[in-house]
Amino acid sequence: MPTESDVMVIGGGPAGLTAGIYLARAHLETLVVDSGAAGGQMILSSAIANYPGVPRITGRQLALAMRKQAESFGCRVESQAEIESLSLEGPVKEVTLAGEGAFTARAVVLAPGGRPRKLGIPSETAFEGRGISYCATCDGEFFTGEDIVVVGGGNSALEEAVALTRVARSVTIVHEFDRFQAQPWAVEEARKNPRIRFLLAQDVREFRGGDHLEEVVLASKRTGDETVLRARGAFLFIGYRPNTAFLDGLAALTARGEIVTDEALRTNVPGVFAAGDARQKRYRQITTAVADGTVAALGAVEYLTALERPVWPTWQASNVIELAPAMVVH
Amino acid sequence: MLETNLKHVETVQEFDTLLAENDKVMICCGRMGPMCLPVYDVMEKLEPKYAQVAFRDMDFDSPVARETIRRLPQVQSFGGLPFTVYFRDGKLMQATSSIQTKQQVTAILDQHLA
């Protein structure tokens, strides 16, 4: 694999793949690297119905189509690429991938996306795949006829809770705040479902069980009183966090770890642009990621074009050409 | 049928032959779902680097899965797809439930199937 590119795109979700399409189509040597499977969070969607022009498609299908489109223009896409080191300063950017060596580029588009946020309590890891899940579509059927808990208060939590009532005996929605962040229609749909009950202003303290999850321990945020719920499953939908730990000290990040950009999606580092869910912004959708990828790629093209443009000579007396009268046009 | 670039195990006979003819075997039993796809992708990436290991996938809803992997005692407490199993000399060495990263899969391969 060639080790030099014009532009390297870090992240192969919709933002990164869109950037790859635009960059490769501009005849720039483009390498897209992703630490997981190309497609990013998009492949977590079993049905996408709000991507314009495509009435209904799975996340995997859309990811595959975007990847093929990028590759058809000559973009190289490397999945499962673990970044060992990264240097963004100076005119040549360098990334070292585990087992692959060093790769250089003159510009970089950062599109590392995000991943499901976890509670961060020790017992959570112990029961992942044994009762704790982050995907209702994938794992819901394992809890047929069981009592389960859904943790979270956004659209995903409430929509998935409703979906899980098709298999579970009961669903308890546990949320840390005393009101939901979800859209009113999602709250309404959950509230009118007789199999769903709500426990608000609760912290999840612990998951307990043997081979499999058996209990979820909660604590009231108001009183500190503990509640122990019998539950065979717990589905966590508590938002996403940006995959930007590797950028600490290399590019400006917000306190939440989001990449800071200007309107042209330039970061604080010359030649480094950012796009997608890892960027500081209000709405995180496939469509906004695609838009970001476009803007960042066009910015990178403009940046590289400016680098290659011959610099106009410094204006000095010796540069002045005396025009003969015949050359003067009135 | 799983749409991957891995070889599939589609019958019980294939499963038995696979274990009889290969010392080291990794099988990912799942669907074309969001937690399974990354594991198939990891396996496709690692397959050339671990030539001594037979990498296969198996449709979770197929009869062979019900007759083999889904019957293993070690997966009875599992609650997340895919079920990924690692065999050495026909003996189950490790089984994992739900999504796994390249680092997690590599660690198991290096520990049990190196």
Side-chain angles (χ1 to χ4, degrees):
Chain A
M1 181 165 56
T3 58
E4 291 179 13
S5 305
D6 293 311
V7 186
M8 186 180 307
V9 180
I10 298 179
L17 291 173
T18 302
I21 290 168
Y22 273 78
L23 292 163
R25 204 157 177 246
H27 303 295
L28 293 172
E29 284 291 330
T30 306
L31 173 64
V32 176
V33 296
D34 195 289
S35 60
Q41 295 296 313
M42 184 164 54
I43 64 170
L44 295 178
S45 297
S46 54
I48 296 166
N50 56 3
Y51 194 79
V54 184
R56 196 172 180 84
I57 191 168
T58 68
R60 176 181 166 270
Q61 288 170 329
L62 189 55
L64 203 58
M66 285 186 186
R67 178 177 180 156
K68 280 185 178 172
Q69 192 175 359
E71 289 175 334
S72 74
F73 292 120
C75 177
R76 288 176 292 139
V77 181
E78 281 292 314
S79 63
Q80 307 298 339
E82 184 193 350
I83 294 177
E84 278 186 343
S85 68
L86 177 65
S87 167
L88 297 176
E89 288 296 330
V92 178
K93 326 295 183 188
E94 184 174 297
V95 64
T96 303
L97 303 177
E100 304 285 348
F103 295 82
T104 59
R106 293 182 296 147
V108 168
V109 174
L110 301 171
R115 62 181 181 281
R117 196 163 75 83
K118 297 187 177 185
L119 290 167
I121 54 179
S123 51
E124 180 181 10
T125 310
F127 289 105
E128 282 176 356
R130 294 173 184 270
I132 291 180
S133 173
Y134 306 90
C135 179
T137 311
C138 311
D139 303 331
E141 72 178 66
F142 291 112
F143 305 94
T144 302
E146 304 281 0
D147 298 317
I148 62 170
V149 167
V150 167
V151 182
N155 280 351
S156 296
L158 272 70
E159 288 179 83
E160 298 293 12
V162 170
L164 284 165
T165 58
R166 292 184 200 118
V167 292
R169 183 169 66 177
S170 75
V171 177
T172 302
I173 297 178
V174 174
H175 187 37
E176 62 179 322
F177 302 118
D178 57 6
R179 65 184 64 185
F180 292 109
Q181 284 72 54
Q183 296 289 325
W185 53 264
V187 178
E188 180 60 25
E189 196 173 346
R191 284 202 188 281
K192 70 184 184 190
N193 191 310
R195 288 197 189 177
I196 295 179
R197 69 174 183 138
F198 302 88
L199 282 174
L200 299 181
Q202 300 283 331
D203 277 330
V204 179
R205 283 276 169 84
E206 190 183 1
F207 296 103
R208 293 178 186 160
D211 278 348
H212 203 283
L213 179 68
E214 291 167 13
E215 293 177 345
V216 181
V217 182
L218 309 174
S220 166
K221 290 181 86 97
R222 283 191 281 265
T223 64
D225 291 347
E226 277 197 357
T227 304
V228 179
L229 295 177
R230 297 284 300 172
R232 186 81 171 160
F235 288 78
L236 311 188
F237 304 105
I238 51 176
Y240 288 88
R241 56 184 296 191
N243 291 323
T244 54
F246 72 103
L247 292 172
D248 195 24
L250 299 177
L253 304 176
T254 67
R256 292 162 58 94
E258 299 158 333
I259 305 166
V260 178
T261 62
D262 64 11
E263 201 174 74
L265 304 196
R266 291 177 291 216
T267 69
N268 64 318
V269 184
V272 180
F273 301 79
D277 285 3
R279 187 173 77 77
Q280 181 186 27
K281 62 178 185 177
R282 176 75 176 88
Y283 296 111
R284 290 179 169 79
Q285 297 286 306
I286 296 172
T287 47
T288 62
V290 164
D292 275 6
T294 307
V295 175
L298 294 176
V301 172
E302 196 175 288
Y303 169 80
L304 292 177
T305 305
L307 281 184
E308 288 160 5
R309 192 177 298 142
V311 178
W312 194 256
T314 307
W315 194 257
Q316 294 173 342
S318 59
N319 297 123
V320 179
I321 303 166
E322 295 262 344
L323 294 180
M327 293 174 71
V328 178
V329 178
H330 294 286
Chain B
M1 173 74 80
L2 297 172
E3 298 165 42
T4 74
N5 294 317
L6 297 165
K7 288 181 182 170
H8 314 303
V9 181
E10 296 176 329
T11 66
V12 174
Q13 187 182 353
E14 280 178 17
F15 177 80
D16 291 340
T17 305
L18 178 70
L19 293 191
E21 294 182 352
N22 295 275
D23 298 341
K24 300 164 184 175
V25 177
M26 173 183 180
I27 306 172
C28 183
C29 181
R31 296 181 176 136
M32 295 308 289
M35 296 292 137
C36 306
L37 295 171
V39 183
Y40 304 141
D41 195 60
V42 167
M43 292 172 72
E44 288 176 13
K45 276 279 171 185
L46 293 178
E47 195 168 21
K49 294 177 185 170
Y50 289 83
Q52 77 279 17
V53 179
F55 289 86
R56 299 288 188 277
D57 63 30
M58 184 187 286
D59 187 336
F60 188 80
D61 299 304
S62 65
V64 59
R66 289 189 203 101
E67 292 293 315
T68 59
I69 290 174
R70 291 174 64 173
R71 279 198 178 174
L72 293 169
Q74 293 87 341
V75 308
Q76 296 312 304
S77 61
F78 284 3
L81 287 178
F83 295 178
T84 307
V85 289
Y86 302 79
F87 291 94
R88 183 161 192 160
D89 299 324
K91 182 184 169 196
L92 182 68
M93 305 301 291
Q94 177 107 22
T96 63
S97 173
S98 194
I99 190 170
Q100 300 285 302
T101 64
K102 185 181 172 188
Q103 288 74 29
Q104 289 171 310
V105 172
T106 302
I108 295 171
L109 288 172
D110 289 343
Q111 185 184 351
H112 296 296
L113 306 186

